[in-house]
Amino acid sequence: MEGANGGVIGGVIFHHSLLFHDDIANPAADSLLRKLRHSAIPTAISHGPGISSHKINLLKKMAALYSMDCFSLDPSSSSLEDAINDIMLAWNHVRGTILLLLSDDDKELFNKPPNCNWQIVALSASPCDASSIYNINKLEELPLTICRLNKKAVGDNVVTVGYIMKPSREEDFAKRGAFPMYPTHNGLMFFPLTFDLPLTPQLQEADLILHKATDEIVSVELSDSAEFLNKITYTTGMEELKRYMDHHVDCCVIDPLSNIYPVLDRLKIQHILLGLENLKGASGHLIRGPHFLKVDDYKELSLIQRLSEAKLSLPCIVKPQVACGVAVAHSMAIVFKDQDFKDLKVPLPAVIQEYVNHSSILYKFYVLGEKVFYAVKKSTPNTDILIKLFGSHDLKPLVFDSLKSLPTATGNPHSDSNSSKGNNEHIDEDLVTEAAKWLMKNLGLTIFGFDVVIDEGSGDHVIVDVNYLPSFKEVPDEVAIPAFWNAIKNKWESKPALMAQ
């Protein structure tokens, strides 16, 4: 069903009865208002007669909170036409169809659209008799409804992207304008997949699925085998999504779950990075992964000998083998002395990595399809500074959560996250870009990131971390978001070639 004038949805008006119940805000409405605001669709709140001044004040506060308009709209009044005209004057910048969202109790008051370019949507458990009223069962259906109406208005040239990730991550992306519900310049529209609704009907509306599956991991059990696909347990909703994707091989996904599994396993990534050994930049520097060793028991008698055989010397950094998706994945330690391994609390199995002296500078690289960006960040100091900072006589392992805090040197001249060119002039961008292309090909990922440090002594570029669907928040929005959209669109356009393989 198209909007009343056949155009895309230009604005949404919520009637007051949907927003509060006994003066308590409806959580579903709150979430939806946030999504609409970040999607840049003009949104307003309306109220009719018979509500208290207290509730009107609550509505106005809610409208102010979300930077929305608050209109008076009385369908039983002879001045309804005047109210509509006032709204249209206030929204003279709005083009397209305006959705008026009503509760089941209010739908009879608007038995026909109040204006030729308005579309009534009723939240109702039963279908509406009036053919001019569009029915939804839950507020969570509205984003999908908007995309469905928009697609019917503009035709099949638009690609709908259903996405799933945890709410905080979704909001971070949405605030940057990454998930518009109207067509982008390259013909994409986004809508959130939700486990609060039946999943299959949502997926049938999506041309493309974008996921951050690691947000939905319950547990990861690693094994000695090369594959551990059946060792990952997802939330109930994500398991359903996985089954759908497994049974619909023509479903286009960014990226298939099997392609992100290596990113979950630090040991597997280390072995993959060994394949970079043939890449060498014009500067003569190498790009590689750090020297490493897997350990299952910190008390094994041959551990120190095995460290030496793996080209590892103290201090080393110890990380859980599970790289993401579980709470302990980011619990790490820097170990300075042999005897400190036996009581180490970093979860096993673990990967012991070379600690690279890198002048406290970390290069965060982001791969968005064909585009590669990087940002310069503050990082941990060199080992001599660490020893001075944390005591050279009774130096204990430095245990930390890499998502929350890093051991850093205050006052370090190289620790400014807005480092000047003078602090990053030694990065070989061409070399790292070649490595990014190599990783894209070998991992089969469309959007991912990796961290690089430069060994002070050798100049080697060392990749110390790889992650899937990072926030790339250090890249300016006006650059990152179009690149993000283009990466998604290119994935869609390459679908025939992928299916032929």
Side-chain angles (χ1 to χ4, degrees):
M1 180 176 182
E2 294 186 13
N5 71 345
V8 297
I9 304 305
V12 177
I13 300 177
F14 282 77
H15 208 46
H16 70 269
S17 55
L18 297 171
L19 302 176
F20 288 95
H21 179 70
D22 294 333
D23 291 346
I24 299 175
N26 181 345
D30 176 75
S31 174
L32 190 51
L33 289 172
R34 297 163 77 93
K35 285 180 171 67
L36 289 167
R37 177 181 62 170
H38 297 320
S39 186
I41 294 178
T43 306
I45 297 169
S46 69
H47 59 84
I51 66 171
S52 66
S53 57
H54 172 67
K55 184 164 285 188
I56 289 176
N57 287 334
L58 289 176
L59 291 170
K60 289 181 177 179
K61 286 181 180 179
M62 178 176 280
L65 177 65
Y66 296 112
S67 302
M68 296 174 178
D69 294 306
C70 188
F71 298 130
S72 175
L73 190 61
D74 181 1
S76 62
S77 170
S78 59
S79 61
L80 175 60
E81 186 175 341
D82 291 337
I84 296 295
N85 289 336
D86 289 343
I87 292 174
M88 299 308 294
L89 284 174
W91 276 11
N92 61 0
H93 60 290
V94 173
R95 299 292 180 268
T97 298
I98 293 174
L99 287 188
L100 175 59
L101 192 61
L102 305 171
S103 69
D104 194 28
D105 294 335
D106 293 325
K107 68 182 180 183
E108 298 303 327
L109 299 176
F110 290 94
N111 54 17
K112 63 178 182 178
N115 187 286
C116 63
N117 67 334
W118 285 43
Q119 172 67 61
I120 295 176
V121 176
L123 183 66
S124 175
S126 58
C128 301
D129 294 332
S131 60
S132 59
I133 296 180
Y134 196 98
N135 184 78
I136 61 176
N137 296 314
K138 290 186 175 182
L139 277 178
E140 290 87 351
E141 294 179 38
L142 186 62
L144 177 57
T145 299
I146 291 173
C147 283
R148 182 185 293 135
L149 293 173
N150 281 343
K151 188 162 187 175
K152 289 184 177 180
V154 301
D156 292 333
N157 290 330
V158 69
V159 177
T160 53
V161 183
Y163 63 89
I164 186 72
M165 57 188 64
K166 65 183 180 182
S168 59
R169 193 183 310 279
E170 176 189 358
E171 181 143 346
D172 286 343
F173 274 92
K175 281 179 179 177
R176 305 173 68 191
F179 296 145
M181 297 179 198
Y182 52 83
T184 65
H185 70 276
N186 64 341
L188 300 178
M189 283 194 306
F190 294 80
F191 71 91
L193 297 169
T194 173
F195 299 139
D196 294 326
L197 298 171
L199 194 56
T200 297
Q202 299 176 70
L203 295 170
Q204 289 171 344
E205 296 283 350
D207 298 311
L208 228 163
I209 299 171
L210 173 71
H211 65 84
K212 179 74 170 178
T214 52
D215 287 347
E216 302 293 329
I217 291 176
V218 175
S219 65
V220 178
E221 181 184 347
L222 297 175
S223 67
D224 293 330
S225 63
E227 302 292 340
F228 56 94
L229 278 62
N230 296 325
K231 302 294 184 179
I232 299 174
T233 303
Y234 293 104
T235 60
T236 301
M238 192 65 201
E239 289 287 357
E240 183 182 353
L241 177 56
K242 180 179 181 298
R243 287 193 297 272
Y244 182 92
M245 293 188 294
D246 289 342
H247 287 93
H248 294 78
V249 293
D250 59 339
C251 179
C252 192
V253 185
I254 301 178
D255 284 298
L257 293 182
S258 57
N259 292 17
I260 71 167
Y261 292 144
V263 180
L264 302 180
D265 186 345
R266 288 192 173 98
L267 182 64
K268 193 169 186 67
I269 281 291
Q270 292 286 171
H271 283 292
I272 290 173
L273 292 176
L274 292 174
L276 288 167
E277 60 186 12
N278 294 325
L279 285 184
K280 195 170 185 178
S283 60
H285 299 313
L286 301 175
I287 186 162
R288 60 177 178 87
H291 304 311
F292 68 95
L293 176 69
K294 180 189 175 183
V295 59
D296 295 302
D297 182 358
Y298 295 124
K299 296 180 180 180
E300 65 172 285
L301 297 177
S302 60
L303 178 59
I304 303 307
Q305 179 182 342
R306 291 181 64 215
L307 287 173
S308 177
E309 292 171 352
K311 302 180 181 179
L312 290 167
S313 58
L314 297 177
C316 295
I317 186 164
V318 186
K319 305 176 181 180
Q321 187 177 343
V322 180
C324 58
V326 293
V328 298
H330 303 281
S331 176
M332 304 180 183
I334 300 173
V335 176
F336 297 88
K337 295 181 293 186
D338 296 348
Q339 58 267 34
D340 287 334
F341 278 107
K342 65 179 184 297
D343 296 319
L344 200 60
K345 301 302 182 184
V346 177
L348 291 165
V351 176
I352 302 176
Q353 288 183 356
E354 164 191 14
Y355 189 89
V356 179
N357 284 330
H358 57 288
S359 304
S360 298
I361 299 176
L362 178 76
Y363 300 87
K364 296 192 74 68
F365 277 81
Y366 301 107
V367 182
L368 301 174
E370 297 177 354
K371 298 292 185 180
V372 180
F373 307 94
Y374 78 93
V376 186
K377 301 287 289 182
K378 177 174 63 177
S379 181
T380 54
N382 289 353
T383 54
D384 58 334
I385 297 175
L386 278 174
I387 292 171
K388 290 178 183 177
L389 283 174
F390 296 98
S392 56
H393 298 296
D394 190 27
L395 193 59
K396 301 295 183 184
L398 296 178
V399 180
F400 59 95
D401 185 320
S402 62
L403 286 183
K404 297 177 181 178
S405 64
L406 293 173
T408 57
T410 56
N412 189 324
H414 297 298
S415 65
D416 185 1
S417 61
N418 296 313
S419 301
S420 66
K421 183 66 176 177
N423 282 339
N424 61 31
E425 60 186 358
H426 299 300
I427 187 76
D428 188 334
E429 293 183 50
D430 292 338
L431 174 63
V432 184
T433 299
E434 285 302 309
K437 294 177 181 177
W438 185 92
L439 282 170
M440 180 186 295
K441 178 181 178 181
N442 283 271
L443 294 174
L445 296 178
T446 307
I447 302 170
F448 65 98
F450 58 96
D451 297 343
V452 176
V453 297
I454 301 178
D455 189 310
E456 271 191 352
S458 65
D460 286 356
H461 292 41
V462 184
I463 298 177
V464 294
D465 190 29
V466 181
N467 54 87
Y468 174 65
L469 196 62
S471 67
F472 49 87
K473 60 186 177 181
E474 293 88 0
V475 184
D477 294 352
E478 63 272 16
V479 175
I481 302 306
F484 175 66
W485 292 339
N486 287 336
I488 293 172
K489 187 63 177 291
N490 290 341
K491 176 75 172 188
W492 170 255
E493 292 175 343
S494 67
K495 180 183 176 181
L498 292 173
M499 295 299 296
Q501 293 178 1

